[in-house]
Amino acid sequence: MGEWVRFAPSPTGLLHVGNARAALLNYLYARQKGARFLLRIDDTDTERSQPAFVEAIQNDLTWLGISWDAIAFQSAHLQQYALAAERLRAMGRLYPCYETPEELAFQRKSLLAQGKPPIYNRAALALSEKEHQSLENTGRKPHWRFRLSEERVNWEDGIHGMMVFEGTYASDPVLVREDGLPVYTLASVVDDLEFGISCVIRGADHMTNTAVQIQLLEALEKNSASRISWAHYPLFRMRSGEELSKRLGGMSLQMLRNNGIHPLALCSFLAKLGTSDALEACLSLDALRQDFDFSKISLAEAQFDPQELNRLNRHLLSMLPFGEVNIDLQKAGIFISTEFWKAVRGNINTLLDVCHWQEVCFGTIESSAGAQQEDPAFFRACILCLERASEKFGTEKMWEDFIKDLTQSTGRNGRNLFHPLRLILTGQETGPELRVLASFMGRTRMMQRVQKYL
Ligand code: GLU
C-alpha cells in the first residue's frame, strides 16, 4: 500500500496557523519519505461542519503550496464506524453507560476532592441485565465506552522518544454518543486502519489520545499499532504567553493572506520555529523538505511572535524574483514593472506595501510636518535647481545635475540636504534611495511637491 500520512482538519472553521503547521509537517515528511498525503475531513460533527469550510480548507492548502494525493470525508464512513463499534461490542470492549453529564461531573468533582484522579468508575459495567432494561424503559439512551485494558502501552515517539503509559491512567473513553454518532477517537482509528496510515504527525495536545488509540487499533486488528509510527510536536505559545488557540481568530490563513503574508514566509516560519535551524525564509517548499528532520524539533514550547513572521516575509520578498511575485501582485490588482519592484522590494513588509510606494511615486502624498519646519529659502533653491535640471539625458542625469546644483546653491550636503529633500518629495522619513524614487517621479511631479510648501 505504500506509506501514508494524513492531515485531518474539522471543517468547523477557517484553518489557522496551528492547523497549517500540522499540514505542513505532514506534507514535508511525506515528500521526504516518498509517502502519500491524505486530506481527511473530520466532519462527523454535522451541526458544526460546513461545506464552505471544506472549500476554504482546500483553498488555503493550495495557497500554501500543499497538494494532497487523496481526500476522504468521515461523514461518508459512518457505516464503517458502526461496524467497528459492533465488533467491539461483540468482544466485550464496548459497553453501554447511562450516566448523565451532571452525574459524571459530580463524580469527577468528588474524586478530585478526595485527591484521586478523576477516572470513570466503570459503574455501568456492574449493571445487571434487569437494571439495563429498566434504564432503557425510562427512555434513557446509552453512550458507549471503550474498555481499556490494564496493559502498559508504549511507543517510540519520533519527537519525544520512548513514551510509556500505565494501564490505569485514563477513563474508558466514550466512542459512541447517545445519538449513535461515533466520536473522534473511534472514527480516527478506523480511518487510520482503513487508509493504511503509517505515520501520525500531530500536536502534543493529542499525546494523551495516543495510548487509547493504540489500544483501540490493537482491539480492531491485532499488531496493527506496530505499523504506525507517531510524532507529536510541541505546540506554540503566543509571545505574550497565551496559548495560540486563544488568538486563533486573528491568525487564520485567510487573514494572513489578506494582510500580504507570502505563503513561503509562513511555511518557512512554521517549519523552522521551535527547531535548531535558524528562523529564516526559504525560497521553496523543496528547500524546507530537505532541511526537515524530527530530531531538530525542540521539546520546549516555542514562542510565536508575529513580528518574526513579518521579518521573514520582508526577507523573503527581498529575495523573490519578480516573475514569481508578479503573479500575486496582478491577482491583487497591482501592476508594476520589474524596475519598480527592484526599487521598492527592500522597503516592504508585505506585497500590499507596494501600493504605498506607488502612491509615493505616482500618486498623492501627505505634506510632511518635518518639511514644513524648513527654511523657505531651501524650497526656493529646490525649485530653481529643478527648473535648471533637464530630463533630456534621462531622469538619472537630471537628478545628478539637480543635486550638484542644489549642493552648490545651498551649501548643504549629506543628511542635511537629503533628509529634508526626502521629506518634501516623498512625505516619508525613510525608504528606497531617493535617486531611484526620483527616476519614477519625474521632474514635474517633484516640482509640484516642492511648490506645496511655498
Ligand atoms: N480532527 C483532529 C484535529 O483536528 C485530528 C487529530 C489527529 O490528527 O488525529 O484535532
Side-chain angles (χ1 to χ4, degrees):
M1 218 158 32
E3 289 217 36
W4 280 90
V5 296
R6 86 286 197 285
F7 168 55
S10 301
T12 53
L14 292 173
L15 287 192
H16 51 67
V17 286
N19 304 127
R21 185 157 170 243
L24 179 69
L25 298 189
N26 274 285
Y27 180 78
L28 295 178
Y29 177 90
R31 290 297 170 262
Q32 198 180 57
K33 307 277 182 215
R36 277 170 293 172
F37 182 100
L38 169 71
L39 171 58
R40 191 183 81 197
I41 305 292
D42 284 5
D43 57 350
T44 48
D45 183 344
T46 43
E47 270 156 40
R48 293 173 56 228
S49 297
Q50 288 181 32
F53 289 130
V54 176
E55 203 180 313
I57 287 168
Q58 297 185 66
N59 288 341
D60 282 344
L61 289 179
T62 306
W63 174 71
L64 282 174
I66 292 178
S67 55
W68 49 97
D69 300 293
I71 183 167
F73 293 84
Q74 289 201 317
S75 57
H77 294 166
L78 294 180
Q79 214 180 344
Q80 278 95 318
Y81 310 141
L83 282 173
E86 214 30 69
R87 286 179 45 220
L88 292 168
R89 275 187 201 103
M91 286 176 226
R93 294 294 298 270
L94 196 65
Y95 62 96
C97 304
Y98 297 86
E99 290 90 346
T100 62
E102 295 75 33
E103 284 165 356
L104 290 171
F106 179 77
Q107 273 179 27
R108 230 183 109 79
K109 242 175 144 175
S110 55
L111 282 170
L112 284 171
Q114 294 165 49
K116 292 185 183 156
I119 292 176
Y120 174 62
N121 62 14
R122 289 183 165 170
L125 270 179
L127 292 176
S128 68
E129 195 51 42
K130 228 169 117 199
E131 284 167 317
H132 274 287
Q133 261 320 313
S134 63
L135 280 162
E136 297 265 339
N137 291 345
T138 62
R140 280 217 195 173
K141 285 230 172 319
H143 52 273
W144 296 78
R145 285 185 190 264
F146 176 55
R147 187 177 176 160
L148 292 172
S149 93
E150 314 266 271
E151 275 166 39
R152 160 190 285 193
V153 175
N154 52 303
W155 77 89
E156 177 71 33
D157 194 278
I159 294 168
H160 285 80
M162 186 53 94
M163 299 298 297
V164 182
F165 276 78
E166 293 303 333
T168 48
Y169 57 91
S171 296
D172 289 344
V174 175
L175 294 191
V176 181
R177 304 190 322 191
E178 228 174 82
D179 59 7
L181 280 177
V183 303
Y184 152 76
T185 311
L186 177 64
S188 185
V189 164
V190 168
D191 283 341
D192 285 345
L193 276 175
E194 164 122 1
F195 290 95
I197 300 301
S198 41
C199 186
V200 173
I201 305 166
R202 57 187 180 186
D205 51 334
H206 280 289
M207 200 117 96
T208 45
N209 295 330
T210 306
V212 167
Q213 291 181 4
I214 287 176
Q215 285 210 9
L216 190 52
L217 281 164
E218 286 296 305
L220 288 171
E221 190 185 318
K222 196 99 205 97
N223 296 327
S224 60
S226 61
R227 294 201 302 265
I228 301 184
S229 54
W230 310 81
H232 295 89
Y233 52 81
L235 299 184
F236 293 155
R237 209 160 249 284
M238 288 305 288
R239 203 175 141 65
S240 54
E242 40 192 331
E243 268 174 50
L244 199 53
S245 56
K246 306 244 165 66
R247 285 277 298 271
L248 292 181
M251 282 287 160
S252 71
L253 299 201
Q254 223 165 74
M255 185 217 76
L256 293 174
R257 177 162 65 233
N258 291 342
N259 285 354
I261 294 291
H262 193 282
L264 276 174
L266 181 60
C267 286
S268 304
F269 183 77
L270 294 174
K272 304 277 178 194
L273 185 62
T275 73
S276 51
D277 280 346
L279 190 55
E280 256 159 29
C282 278
L283 283 170
S284 67
L285 285 187
D286 202 47
L288 286 176
R289 170 185 64 86
Q290 285 171 25
D291 287 346
F292 177 73
D293 190 342
F294 284 150
S295 70
K296 291 182 180 174
I297 298 179
S298 147
L299 289 187
E301 224 170 38
Q303 287 211 337
F304 186 114
D305 181 355
Q307 295 305 329
E308 286 283 287
L309 176 58
N310 287 337
R311 177 179 67 77
L312 254 64
N313 206 49
R314 232 175 8 247
H315 182 212
L316 181 85
L317 292 180
S318 69
M319 297 192 296
L320 281 177
F322 180 61
E324 211 159 301
V325 285
N326 201 24
I327 300 167
D328 294 327
L329 284 169
Q330 291 187 352
K331 268 194 219 150
I334 305 170
F335 300 91
I336 57 167
S337 63
T338 317
E339 288 70 35
F340 193 73
W341 172 247
K342 281 193 189 140
V344 303
R345 68 177 176 182
N347 285 272
I348 53 175
N349 287 324
T350 77
L351 277 186
L352 302 182
D353 290 347
V354 166
C355 298
H356 164 76
W357 293 114
Q358 273 184 312
E359 266 317 289
V360 167
C361 291
F362 312 112
T364 43
I365 57 165
E366 302 265 316
S367 297
S368 143
Q372 272 155 2
Q373 315 293 320
E374 267 305 321
D375 180 357
F378 184 68
F379 302 129
R380 285 197 293 273
C382 286
I383 295 283
L384 269 177
C385 295
L386 277 169
E387 271 167 359
R388 287 200 287 255
S390 158
E391 275 179 322
K392 201 159 127 205
F393 300 104
T395 42
E396 260 180 61
K397 179 79 172 75
M398 178 276 290
W399 178 258
E400 214 178 280
D401 293 345
F402 165 61
I403 292 298
K404 216 184 264 168
D405 200 358
L406 192 61
T407 310
Q408 270 165 13
S409 334
T410 62
R412 297 191 189 203
N413 57 23
R415 188 177 154 79
N416 217 359
L417 174 77
F418 286 103
H419 185 64
L421 205 48
R422 178 178 290 281
L423 292 180
I424 297 166
L425 296 180
T426 71
Q428 308 291 314
E429 286 283 341
T430 56
E433 246 186 286
L434 256 191
R435 178 181 58 80
V436 179
L437 291 180
S439 72
F440 292 104
M441 284 179 202
R443 184 165 147 266
T444 314
R445 182 173 283 108
M446 286 162 58
M447 288 231 280
Q448 285 162 355
R449 290 191 174 170
V450 185
Q451 251 145 11
K452 280 208 312 203
Y453 292 94
L454 280 172

